[in-house]
Amino acid sequence: MNSCPCGSGRSYAECCKPYITGARLPPTAEALMRSRYSAYAEHAIDYILESCTQDNKNQADPKETKEWSEKSTWLGLKILSVGKGTESDTEGSVEFKAIYERDGLKDVYHEKAQFKKQDGKWLYDVGDIVPETIVRSSPKIGRNDPCPCGSGKKYKHCHGRAL
């Protein structure tokens, strides 16, 4: 079984692929969000662009979208919260984290996305990026602190020295 990139636990063929190929419409805002993530992982750029509202479509850069999709390794999707966005709603929101790796660096894209249902079809409208706070795993070394290598020198005269 080829697992769906969106992390639903189902196969790609029975989960997001029918939405991406146009065989079915995503019934909820969350289903659209999951299929858009899978489209990034599967490099289905046309689907990513076509699943946007007209305003968002006009602002999207197809070349940049394609580059991000193709140059990234998509590692997982975490849905953090869903607001409305059911089959009977016309608006919804999904907060998610998309984990990916690019140029050897692992990163997390955290967004609160807004969706609109137009003519019976869910579309991505706009998203607000949620900044991530980086927490150090160890205390910062001051330039006048002893160098952690054990040389007995100040950090600025040892490993903290500008090359």
Side-chain angles (χ1 to χ4, degrees), residues 28-72:
T28 65
E30 181 181 352
L32 177 61
M33 180 60 247
R34 288 181 175 281
S35 66
R36 285 176 53 83
Y37 174 84
S38 293
Y40 273 99
E42 296 292 324
H43 316 303
I45 308 310
D46 290 342
Y47 179 77
I48 295 166
L49 299 174
E50 289 302 316
S51 61
C52 294
T53 60
Q54 192 60 45
D55 287 344
N56 194 289
K57 206 179 295 184
N58 291 339
Q59 295 175 11
D61 182 343
K63 184 180 175 188
E64 197 173 291
T65 302
K66 181 179 180 178
E67 185 177 303
W68 190 29
S69 169
E70 293 177 351
K71 291 189 176 184
S72 299

Side-chain angles (χ1 to χ4, degrees), residues 83-104:
K84 296 186 181 180
T86 66
E87 292 182 49
S88 60
D89 291 319
T90 57
E91 293 185 350
S93 64
V94 179
E95 182 177 357
F96 68 93
K97 288 185 177 184
I99 300 98
Y100 67 98
E101 186 176 310
R102 184 168 176 179
D103 298 327

Side-chain angles (χ1 to χ4, degrees), residues 17 23 114 144 147 163:
K17 185 176 182 180
Q114 303 298 316
N144 288 316
C147 190
L163 300 176

Side-chain angles (χ1 to χ4, degrees), residues 134-142 145 148 155:
I134 299 172
V135 179
R136 294 182 185 274
S137 59
S138 59
K140 182 178 178 181
I141 302 167
D145 290 342
Y155 180 68

